[in-house]
Amino acid sequence: MNYIDLRSDTVTQPTPAMREAMAKAPVGDDVFGDDPTINQLQELAAEKLGKEAGLYVPSGTMGNLAAILSHCTRGDEAIMGKRSHTFLYEGGGISTLGGVHSCQINEQPNGALALEDIEAVLRDADDPHQPVSRLIEIENTHNRCGGTYQSPEYLRQLGDFAHARGLVVHMDGARLFNAAVAQGVDVKQLSGPVDSVTFCLSKGLCAPVGSVLCGSREFIKKARKIRKHLGGGMRQAGIIAAAGIVALETMVERLADDHARARKLAAGLRAIPGLLVDEPPTNMVFFNLADSAKVTAEQIEEEMKERGILVHATGARRFRLVTHYWIDDAAVEKTVEGLKQVIGRG
Ligand SMILES: Cc1ncc(COP(=O)(O)O)c(C=O)c1O
């Protein structure tokens, strides 16, 4: 059965153009730096983000980990949001593998970290009791805060704030291009103020595998070594990187379609009594079940699946639906109709 799959944009399949590029890709041993397709992807990514260099990594998780381990040393502290992906969903890798201590602070509703909240947790470098504040991580778009994005102006303020205090900023930009397209700004305006950025090719951009970490040449040299330590030095991986080039060249602008469909989906769901729907800033539609809705989240997941639609509950009464390349207008309408039936029945 071909499901309408709204659980995430990570479920996206590569497009026919990607499969063709993968079949034809020239490849080499990337641990020797010999893979022309990977080199092309890294250069393209760095150029788009206005950074000196890029590094192809197998996942967003490895990109964030390699970045934080490159910037920090054991005993350093990385400041991040309490609901950030790195804190919640990356296995605590920065501490288990790098000895980096996390300091978690509350995000603003839009996913930003307030500068005064960061200031309040900065450590005294001269006090032997305290770890060393070294890095601030900002997530853009912010997954658990509803697919919210950060503006160029806020990122400039954050970068200036960090640099004036001897800290660096890493951006988890798994969905960085969604943030740029939603604001109608060049992605460089988002990447420029921060020291390093990871973005994912394997989410809304539809490539099957991989992320790119970008930053200065010196930083990427360090990250390349750490990627090897983490087991992420791949060989003829140009086969998969080829799809990433197609993703960057052809799949960015169309993210606006996913955002428009997310708004359409939210508008349709809002008309269903029993659902409390957030306005989607990008491609994620979050909603809560009101007390009046008598169905459970598990029942909704099951009964929607019977209708050929996969949806994901992120909590006992909360859902996240994600639009992407493989969700068209008909899929949005079918989803609204399906939820109307399932909620109405309860
Ligand atoms: C905000 C964010 N950062 C990082 C990641 C990690 O990416 P990956 O699944 O490729 O490790 C994800 C994955 O969903 C994410 O949503």
Side-chain angles (χ1 to χ4, degrees):
M1 180 169 191
N2 265 343
Y3 285 102
I4 293 170
D5 196 343
L6 291 150
R7 291 171 302 168
S8 178
D9 48 11
T10 57
V11 303
T12 45
Q13 298 276 321
T15 63
M18 288 178 184
R19 289 184 186 272
E20 201 184 322
M22 291 166 79
K24 290 184 184 155
V27 295
D29 188 333
D30 182 52
V31 175
F32 294 155
D34 280 353
D35 190 303
T37 307
I38 293 187
N39 292 342
Q40 188 189 338
L41 171 64
Q42 291 174 164
E43 281 160 28
L44 178 65
E47 196 257 340
K48 280 200 183 289
L49 269 61
K51 297 289 184 203
E52 285 176 2
L55 183 71
Y56 187 52
V57 287
S59 66
T61 299
M62 192 183 286
N64 290 332
L65 182 56
I68 294 176
L69 267 50
S70 299
H71 287 302
C72 300
T73 186
R74 296 184 73 79
D76 282 353
E77 192 164 70
I79 299 164
M80 62 188 68
K82 270 189 185 159
R83 290 187 285 168
S84 64
H85 196 276
T86 296
F87 177 60
L88 290 177
Y89 304 120
E90 294 174 13
I94 60 166
S95 58
T96 44
L97 302 172
V100 178
H101 197 233
S102 71
C103 171
Q104 316 103 42
I105 60 177
N106 284 317
E107 291 94 346
Q108 300 299 298
N110 74 346
L113 301 175
L115 302 187
E116 56 270 28
D117 292 346
I118 302 174
E119 186 86 65
V121 297
L122 291 179
R123 305 291 195 156
D124 176 355
D126 294 328
D127 182 344
H129 296 89
Q130 302 194 20
V132 177
S133 301
R134 177 72 190 134
L135 176 141
I136 302 166
E137 188 193 57
I138 186 79
E139 187 171 314
N140 189 22
T141 64
H142 197 300
N143 188 338
R144 286 294 132 181
C145 289
T148 46
Y149 51 76
Q150 301 310 317
S151 68
E153 194 195 345
Y154 165 75
L155 291 168
R156 272 197 301 276
Q157 287 170 3
L158 180 68
D160 290 348
F161 171 94
H163 299 146
R165 289 159 181 77
L167 277 76
V168 294
V169 182
H170 172 67
M171 185 152 67
D172 174 3
R175 297 178 181 82
L176 180 66
F177 289 96
N178 292 85
V181 167
Q183 299 177 81
V185 299
D186 188 317
V187 72
K188 287 188 185 75
Q189 290 187 253
L190 307 178
S191 52
V194 302
D195 300 276
S196 59
V197 188
T198 309
F199 72 86
C200 295
L201 297 158
S202 58
K203 299 192 164 70
L205 299 181
C206 278
V209 186
S211 297
V212 187
L213 172 62
C214 294
S216 71
R217 228 179 294 285
E218 199 189 330
F219 164 80
I220 290 296
K221 192 174 166 198
K222 224 169 161 186
R224 188 174 178 86
K225 196 170 171 125
I226 289 171
R227 182 188 69 172
K228 184 73 179 127
H229 297 177
L230 297 173
M234 299 183 284
R235 303 291 176 176
Q236 287 73 25
I239 293 280
I240 45 177
I245 295 172
V246 177
L248 275 182
E249 286 180 340
T250 67
M251 302 297 280
V252 170
E253 294 309 319
R254 64 146 310 282
L255 292 172
D257 300 345
D258 300 341
H259 301 170
R261 289 202 177 95
R263 290 193 294 272
K264 187 174 163 180
L265 179 58
L269 298 182
R270 216 168 269 132
I272 302 175
L275 299 188
L276 306 167
V277 187
D278 300 347
E279 184 58 19
T282 53
N283 67 334
M284 297 181 175
V285 180
F286 279 83
F287 66 85
N288 286 326
L289 295 177
D291 292 342
S292 59
K294 298 300 173 212
V295 274
T296 65
E298 292 75 26
Q299 283 169 330
I300 291 175
E301 282 181 342
E302 241 168 66
E303 294 188 22
M304 288 297 281
K305 188 172 179 184
E306 285 163 15
R307 287 167 171 76
I309 304 164
L310 302 179
V311 296
H312 173 57
T314 59
R317 309 286 288 172
R318 189 159 176 80
F319 280 80
R320 185 193 73 171
L321 273 48
V322 186
T323 55
H324 51 75
Y325 182 76
W326 300 98
I327 300 295
D328 59 12
D329 289 331
V332 168
E333 282 153 28
K334 202 171 161 196
T335 303
V336 172
E337 192 47 44
L339 272 167
K340 199 180 287 175
Q341 289 168 9
V342 172
I343 307 282
R345 192 199 51 73

